[in-house]
Amino acid sequence: MVKIAPSILSADFSRLREQVAAVEEAGVEYLHIDVMDGHFVPNITIGPPVVASLRPHSRLVFDVHLMIEKPDYYIEEFIAAGADLVTVHVEACTHLHRTVTRIKEKGALAGIALNPATPLALVEPILPTVDLVLLMTVNPGFGGQRFIGEIVSKLEALCDLRAKYALKFEIEVDGGINVNTAPAVVRAGAGVLVTGSAIFTAPDIATAIHDLRAAAHSTLVCIKT
């Protein structure tokens, strides 16, 4: 089953608790929390206090995506604040295996993320260790960007690697995901869809989630048939 992970990067922060409750009521599985530092990416978002303030009000899996330099300095803080899954960027980690190991030792699931231009060859040795691989389908830093279609072949290659080594990590995509782009990424092997603007800027959040899930489900039915 394809999971939906609304990104609060596109939420109305004056109504954040209300909108998190709305996506949870609509049946999503993850809450995607983009953390940006203004260095690794050209934007600044939130820190552990926001995660901690939301944690008592939601049972969703908190999917914390660290788009920051030196993520090792903040892993423990985000897990203590309530992160269930912590994803770090391959490009930001000098010792990736050490970083992934530390996340797991602190009690969270460990994910790794790759920017569009980063080749899969860099992460193949660590795939047996991770719980999730996130492929960016835009260049990270801002919400509302246009989907980079060339990433579909990269998704297919990652799915092939997972099958080749009989691994079970989830494959997540982030950037420009909506009812038009979801079928292609699901067909290529994506199992977790991160989407912000398509949900939080829609006239009705529940309808937007329903439509996105329907688009993904129609693709799965097509594949099974």
Side-chain angles (χ1 to χ4, degrees):
M1 180 178 178
V2 175
K3 298 175 181 176
I4 296 177
S7 170
I8 63 170
L9 180 64
S10 298
D12 179 350
F13 272 67
S14 70
R15 303 167 53 220
L16 186 56
R17 179 178 172 182
E18 174 190 337
Q19 292 197 328
V20 169
V23 297
E24 185 166 4
E25 185 176 347
V28 304
E29 291 78 17
Y30 289 1
L31 186 71
H32 194 79
I33 301 171
D34 286 309
V35 179
M36 305 180 186
D37 63 357
H39 297 283
F40 182 71
V41 293
N43 199 359
I44 298 174
T45 55
I46 64 173
V50 174
V51 177
S53 68
L54 288 174
R55 183 71 281 179
H57 306 292
S58 176
R59 295 183 180 181
L60 292 173
V61 172
F62 277 17
D63 172 17
V64 175
H65 179 191
L66 299 182
M67 288 178 272
I68 62 176
E69 293 182 354
K70 300 180 180 178
D72 297 80
Y73 291 175
Y74 300 96
I75 286 168
E76 191 168 349
E77 286 187 61
F78 277 103
I79 294 173
D84 299 296
L85 165 65
V86 176
T87 298
V88 295
H89 268 263
V90 174
E91 304 86 359
C93 295
T94 305
H95 304 289
L96 184 58
H97 187 274
R98 180 186 299 167
T99 302
V100 167
T101 300
R102 187 178 179 202
I103 294 170
K104 296 175 87 92
E105 287 176 347
K106 295 300 178 181
L109 298 174
I112 54 174
L114 292 84
N115 286 337
T118 303
L120 292 175
L122 288 181
V123 299
E124 188 169 348
I126 202 172
L127 292 179
T129 309
V130 302
D131 300 294
L132 177 141
V133 178
L134 166 57
L135 296 187
M136 294 300 301
T137 43
V138 298
N139 289 297
F142 298 94
Q145 295 186 67
R146 188 173 181 178
F147 176 79
I148 300 174
E150 290 80 3
I151 305 301
V152 171
S153 60
K154 189 176 181 181
L155 262 170
E156 293 170 339
L158 178 59
C159 195
D160 288 343
L161 283 173
R162 182 174 62 180
K164 175 182 176 181
Y165 297 113
L167 301 175
K168 297 182 179 179
F169 60 82
E170 292 190 294
I171 298 176
E172 184 175 67
V173 289
D174 182 1
I177 304 300
N178 53 44
V179 293
N180 297 315
T181 57
V185 295
V186 171
R187 191 178 300 114
V192 183
L193 307 181
V194 177
T195 180
S197 300
I199 289 177
F200 287 114
T201 65
D204 182 73
I205 286 176
T207 299
I209 292 169
H210 173 273
D211 291 347
L212 181 64
R213 198 180 294 281
H217 182 259
S218 67
T219 302
L220 291 174
V221 169
C222 180
I223 292 172
K224 289 178 182 178
T225 303

PDB file of all heavy atoms in Angstrom, residues 35 47 174 213:
ATOM      1  N   VAL A  35      13.454  19.924   7.616  1.00  0.00           N
ATOM      2  CA  VAL A  35      14.314  20.766   8.448  1.00  0.00           C
ATOM      3  C   VAL A  35      15.423  21.328   7.560  1.00  0.00           C
ATOM      4  O   VAL A  35      16.205  20.576   6.982  1.00  0.00           O
ATOM      5  CB  VAL A  35      14.918  19.958   9.613  1.00  0.00           C
ATOM      6  CG1 VAL A  35      15.830  20.838  10.454  1.00  0.00           C
ATOM      7  CG2 VAL A  35      13.804  19.358  10.481  1.00  0.00           C
ATOM      8  N   GLY A  47      13.062  23.729  13.966  1.00  0.00           N
ATOM      9  CA  GLY A  47      13.966  22.925  14.768  1.00  0.00           C
ATOM     10  C   GLY A  47      13.216  21.978  15.674  1.00  0.00           C
ATOM     11  O   GLY A  47      11.985  21.841  15.585  1.00  0.00           O
ATOM     12  N   ASP A 174      10.122  12.874  -2.983  1.00  0.00           N
ATOM     13  CA  ASP A 174       9.787  14.177  -2.413  1.00  0.00           C
ATOM     14  C   ASP A 174      10.059  15.268  -3.441  1.00  0.00           C
ATOM     15  O   ASP A 174      11.199  15.447  -3.871  1.00  0.00           O
ATOM     16  CB  ASP A 174      10.636  14.400  -1.160  1.00  0.00           C
ATOM     17  CG  ASP A 174      10.335  15.719  -0.460  1.00  0.00           C
ATOM     18  OD1 ASP A 174       9.460  16.463  -0.924  1.00  0.00           O
ATOM     19  OD2 ASP A 174      10.978  15.998   0.569  1.00  0.00           O
ATOM     20  N   ARG A 213      -4.409   9.559  -3.267  1.00  0.00           N
ATOM     21  CA  ARG A 213      -4.405   8.116  -3.006  1.00  0.00           C
ATOM     22  C   ARG A 213      -5.081   7.359  -4.147  1.00  0.00           C
ATOM     23  O   ARG A 213      -4.646   6.279  -4.531  1.00  0.00           O
ATOM     24  CB  ARG A 213      -5.090   7.816  -1.667  1.00  0.00           C
ATOM     25  CG  ARG A 213      -4.737   6.436  -1.120  1.00  0.00           C
ATOM     26  CD  ARG A 213      -5.409   6.157   0.195  1.00  0.00           C
ATOM     27  NE  ARG A 213      -4.978   6.994   1.286  1.00  0.00           N
ATOM     28  CZ  ARG A 213      -3.843   6.811   1.963  1.00  0.00           C
ATOM     29  NH1 ARG A 213      -3.009   5.840   1.630  1.00  0.00           N
ATOM     30  NH2 ARG A 213      -3.528   7.602   2.970  1.00  0.00           N
TER      31      ARG A 213
END
